[in-house]
Amino acid sequence: MNDQFWTLYDFTETSGYPPFKRLIQNRLRERIEKLVRLHPQWGESDYVDHFVTILNDDSQAETEKKLAHWHLLAYFDRDRCYLIWRNWCRLPFYAAYAENLYALTNEHLCNREKLQQYLNKYKTNDNSGASLKTYILGVLRNVTREHINWESPWHLLCDVDINSRRKLQTAAERLKAALQSTGKQEPEISQYLFAWQYFIPVYKNNRVYHPQRQGGGKWPEPEFSDFVQTAKDYNSQRFQPGAPLQVAVGVAITPIMIQKWMNTCIEALQQSEQIKEVPYDANSNEQPDTASFNFWEVGETEAENAESLAAVDLILRSELELIEQNLAKIRSQIPTSYRQAVMPLCYPHRLALLTQEQFASRMNVHQGTVSRYISKYIETPLLEKFQELTREQLNPTAYITTFLNEKFSNFNLVANPLASQLIAALADLAPELQQIIKLKYGQKLNITELTKIITQNKSLTQEEVTQKLIIAEDELQSNFLNILKQWQNNYIKSWLKNYYQNLIQAELLKSFTQLESPSQEILWQKYAQKILKSNSDAQTITTAKQQLQRSFLQRIDQKFGISLETEIQQVGEIIEDWLSTNLLYQEIQRS
């Protein structure tokens, strides 16, 4: 007998009904094994009828009825889980929806009285054309569909229990991930989340829980007064000690901005499952992730920042060319003829063909030799060049002073992300020092006004407040220098990953263009158009990928003098990954 009468699946949300503990599950299994021995001729329907009879028999002991209920719950559970997945897996944030739907269906399965009502209705209606399981799943399908149809975009945004810190934090992380997937950056994300936390209670109290609203149905649209109240709460709280620094910078928020932000959040949640396309140009290098790393602030517009980024890229490429030209002169156990292959083949980018251990084994050297070679002769000199370039363009002390005095209270969201690094440095300060910075530069207070506010909670003289302000500014500069150093290091590593990943992508693209037209077309249909006409196409696709792999291995051997025939499975996975990302076909479409 299988485990369908004693095992629960994916019980992520119990809604007050606990999942089976191991002790209970073992007890249920033992009962089923006993029934199998007593009734070896029984089939699935016989067991179901047996448990339904016990459940409806008032003469049975409560323990027996409870165990019969649990047997039936286990019997329905696997198909219940599949029902939820099959019907709702395409919804944005399926995991979160699944949690709600599990809880919703538990109200109908785990509640014995409700389940008995469904069982009696099934018997009364004589649904001989459908099994009991099919009937119950139909009930659950209708329940979940009715629940989903009631929802509105504002339900998607605001269906959060703000009295539960855990649930609020989970919802905030989900919304943050959705905003990031649409390209939003700091400080926008923190500002959206801060506004969202104040909008939820305003909207619920004014619209969802309004006495004149009828129960059920979709959640209503908010009114403009809701955004007015949220903006008022936002502005009154953004300088408080617990508020994120990102909301303290910039001008006061208007109701129109709150309305726009909430609609942006809804769009992000609804679009969270869209495929993100990554542009690729075979003739130039991809840039590092500018959402996390960017050049120092030389302009206030995206166009100016793009120009500065291109200038940095050109300088780094020139420096890397000089480094590679001198690789033969350095002292290393790695053979001279293979030094050019180290970075393209085993630097940890997405399309790396070898690990450092694999490359070291081929060269008969230790893995540490390869790691030191990369760090000492590639990363370090390139980082030093980048740091030199930074020192020429950026004076940290002057930058901090300018930002605090001129931009803290008038922060431009289009400004270069270097400002975000400074905000991160501010966030590392102790809460007391953060508050002093926010009040001094966010509200433009003089030392007398600052002392008056600070001394409301703690007795301090004006001289003591002045000293604390000096300490805060000194620690801010120290934090910023440390973060700047880490930022520079991360930028170079990200830049190198993209540089050498593009070299491998270029070889893959050249290998693809050398395929015969039918092979190119079938791969295009499979990976770009997502079309598979017939089962016979599967063999043709396999043959085309094998041809692409052979061509690519030959190109790698010719370029770097290294055969990867022993890593053919590993190379095949790289090619599959590359085809699946559509990087190749975006380039073909442009050409």
Side-chain angles (χ1 to χ4, degrees):
M1 188 69 185
N2 59 34
D3 61 355
Q4 65 177 326
F5 285 102
W6 72 70
T7 303
L8 285 185
Y9 300 85
D10 296 337
F11 225 89
T12 58
E13 173 62 50
T14 63
S15 189
Y17 300 100
F20 293 163
K21 297 180 180 179
R22 183 176 298 275
L23 181 62
I24 297 176
Q25 184 164 307
N26 290 340
R27 185 176 179 184
L28 294 176
R29 183 176 66 250
E30 291 170 358
R31 285 169 55 85
I32 291 295
E33 291 172 349
K34 182 178 179 180
L35 285 174
V36 170
R37 290 193 298 269
L38 291 174
H39 307 284
Q41 76 282 6
W42 275 13
E44 179 179 304
S45 60
D46 296 307
Y47 289 98
V48 173
D49 291 341
H50 176 70
F51 296 130
V52 170
T53 300
I54 293 175
L55 196 63
N56 290 323
D57 187 354
D58 292 337
S59 65
Q60 292 285 342
E62 176 63 23
T63 301
E64 285 297 316
K65 298 182 72 170
K66 181 182 294 185
L67 290 170
H69 181 201
W70 285 348
H71 280 301
L72 289 173
L73 178 58
Y75 174 64
F76 296 130
D77 193 55
R78 177 164 53 185
D79 292 277
R80 181 266 296 264
C81 295
Y82 177 69
L83 170 72
I84 292 174
W85 174 83
R86 183 185 62 189
N87 286 277
W88 313 115
C89 64
R90 297 184 182 277
L91 288 172
F93 295 108
Y94 161 73
Y97 269 104
E99 199 171 299
N100 292 331
L101 295 177
Y102 282 132
L104 178 67
T105 53
N106 281 346
E107 294 175 5
H108 296 264
L109 290 180
C110 298
N111 186 309
R112 192 194 304 176
E113 292 182 359
K114 283 189 176 181
L115 181 59
Q116 283 181 292
Q117 291 175 5
Y118 295 135
L119 296 176
N120 293 333
K121 186 178 293 186
Y122 171 78
K123 183 178 179 180
T124 302
N125 293 340
D126 189 23
N127 292 277
S128 57
S131 66
L132 176 61
K133 179 181 287 187
T134 301
Y135 175 77
I136 294 296
L137 291 177
V139 171
L140 298 180
R141 184 185 298 110
N142 293 336
V143 168
T144 54
R145 284 180 176 175
E146 185 179 15
H147 175 75
I148 293 297
N149 290 336
W150 277 1
E151 294 187 358
S152 72
W154 300 100
H155 182 281
L156 176 65
L157 180 68
C158 299
D159 186 24
V160 181
D161 183 2
I162 60 175
N163 295 317
S164 169
R165 180 177 298 180
R166 179 186 63 82
K167 292 181 179 179
L168 181 62
Q169 180 64 27
T170 300
E173 291 173 357
R174 187 167 66 244
L175 177 56
K176 181 178 180 179
L179 291 168
Q180 289 174 334
S181 69
T182 61
K184 296 300 180 184
Q185 304 175 19
E186 291 291 357
E188 289 178 289
I189 291 177
S190 292
Q191 293 173 329
Y192 289 176
L193 292 175
F194 193 70
W196 168 74
Q197 292 182 36
Y198 284 100
F199 176 75
I200 291 173
V202 170
Y203 169 74
K204 282 189 170 182
N205 290 333
N206 293 347
R207 306 296 151 226
V208 180
Y209 304 141
H210 194 280
Q212 296 181 356
R213 176 177 178 259
Q214 295 181 353
K218 289 187 176 181
W219 285 19
E221 292 286 320
E223 295 185 4
F224 190 72
S225 59
D226 300 330
F227 302 117
V228 172
Q229 186 175 343
T230 303
K232 181 179 179 180
D233 293 342
Y234 182 105
N235 291 324
S236 66
Q237 296 296 319
R238 68 193 190 105
F239 292 110
Q240 295 304 310
L245 282 163
Q246 291 87 341
V247 307
V249 299
V251 297
I253 303 305
T254 65
I256 294 294
M257 294 174 67
I258 295 292
Q259 184 178 25
K260 181 179 178 181
W261 288 359
M262 294 303 98
N263 281 293
T264 299
C265 290
I266 290 174
E267 291 173 2
L269 291 171
Q270 292 174 333
Q271 298 173 7
S272 60
E273 290 190 346
Q274 289 186 354
I275 297 175
K276 295 170 62 178
E277 295 184 353
V278 184
Y280 167 65
D281 187 344
N283 300 314
S284 64
N285 291 311
E286 266 184 37
Q287 303 303 329
D289 180 9
T290 55
S292 301
F293 312 112
N294 209 331
F295 196 41
W296 45 86
E297 190 168 12
V298 296
E300 294 295 332
T301 68
E302 293 179 348
E304 289 174 329
N305 288 329
E307 290 179 4
S308 66
L309 190 61
V312 174
D313 178 66
L314 183 61
I315 293 171
L316 293 179
R317 291 180 65 185
S318 298
E319 184 67 18
L320 186 58
E321 289 176 2
L322 292 176
I323 292 172
E324 291 181 335
Q325 290 172 8
N326 293 314
L327 289 179
K329 302 176 183 179
I330 65 175
R331 297 181 60 184
S332 175
Q333 296 178 8
I334 299 176
T336 304
S337 58
Y338 295 108
R339 292 176 184 178
Q340 294 285 351
V342 175
M343 297 296 287
L345 297 187
C346 64
Y347 197 70
H349 55 79
R350 186 174 59 85
L351 301 180
L353 299 172
L354 295 173
T355 64
Q356 290 185 12
E357 291 83 358
Q358 290 173 324
F359 188 88
S361 177
R362 286 173 174 268
M363 301 296 109
N364 294 318
V365 298
H366 193 272
Q367 182 269 332
T369 301
V370 178
S371 179
R372 286 190 296 273
Y373 170 88
I374 293 174
S375 176
K376 183 176 181 179
Y377 298 114
I378 306 295
E379 290 180 337
T380 298
L382 201 62
L383 176 60
E384 290 174 351
K385 180 65 178 179
F386 186 55
Q387 289 173 335
E388 176 187 342
L389 198 59
T390 305
R391 286 193 295 270
E392 293 174 357
Q393 300 289 333
L394 178 68
N395 182 322
T397 302
Y399 181 84
I400 292 173
T401 301
T402 301
F403 178 86
L404 292 177
N405 288 292
E406 300 178 8
K407 298 182 179 180
F408 192 93
S409 62
N410 189 29
F411 191 68
N412 184 357
L413 294 180
V414 183
N416 194 286
L418 186 59
S420 297
Q421 309 303 319
L422 182 52
I423 292 177
L426 279 164
D428 285 341
L429 295 176
E432 182 184 23
L433 300 182
Q434 281 188 39
Q435 183 68 359
I436 289 175
I437 292 289
K438 287 195 289 186
L439 293 173
K440 173 71 171 80
Y441 296 102
Q443 294 189 321
K444 298 290 186 180
L445 303 180
N446 58 39
I447 194 64
T448 302
E449 295 169 329
L450 180 61
T451 302
K452 184 177 180 180
I453 293 178
I454 295 296
T455 53
Q456 290 177 357
N457 299 320
K458 187 176 182 180
S459 177
L460 292 173
T461 65
Q462 185 167 309
E463 290 73 19
E464 289 174 329
V465 173
T466 301
Q467 185 61 33
K468 285 185 177 292
L469 178 61
I470 294 173
I471 293 173
E473 292 172 343
D474 289 344
E475 289 191 13
L476 174 60
Q477 180 168 327
S478 176
N479 291 348
F480 180 62
L481 290 175
N482 291 333
I483 290 177
L484 181 62
K485 184 178 179 180
Q486 184 62 43
W487 169 75
Q488 292 167 332
N489 185 60
N490 290 339
Y491 185 98
I492 291 301
K493 289 183 177 181
S494 178
W495 187 90
L496 284 169
K497 287 179 181 179
N498 284 284
Y499 181 91
Y500 288 108
Q501 179 175 303
N502 280 343
L503 291 185
I504 299 300
Q505 289 183 134
E507 295 302 319
L508 282 164
L509 180 58
K510 291 174 183 176
S511 299
F512 180 86
T513 57
Q514 291 176 353
L515 296 177
E516 296 179 356
S517 296
S519 297
Q520 292 188 30
E521 181 64 23
I522 193 68
L523 291 176
W524 167 271
Q525 292 177 354
K526 165 67 175 175
Y527 291 98
Q529 299 179 343
K530 309 297 183 183
I531 297 175
L532 188 61
K533 296 180 179 178
S534 65
N535 292 334
S536 61
D537 287 343
Q539 182 58 44
T540 308
I541 291 170
T542 300
T543 302
K545 288 196 291 187
Q546 290 173 347
Q547 293 172 354
L548 174 61
Q549 183 168 282
R550 285 195 296 270
S551 175
F552 178 61
L553 289 174
Q554 290 174 0
R555 294 194 64 85
I556 294 297
D557 195 356
Q558 292 171 2
K559 188 175 184 68
F560 301 112
I562 294 180
S563 173
L564 299 179
E565 292 293 339
T566 56
E567 287 80 19
I568 192 167
Q569 180 178 353
Q570 187 171 324
V571 173
E573 292 173 355
I574 294 294
I575 292 176
E576 182 71 24
D577 176 41
W578 177 70
L579 288 171
S580 300
T581 59
N582 287 343
L583 296 178
L584 164 65
Y585 301 106
Q586 292 177 41
E587 174 59 24
I588 291 176
Q589 285 179 306
R590 286 204 295 265
S591 61

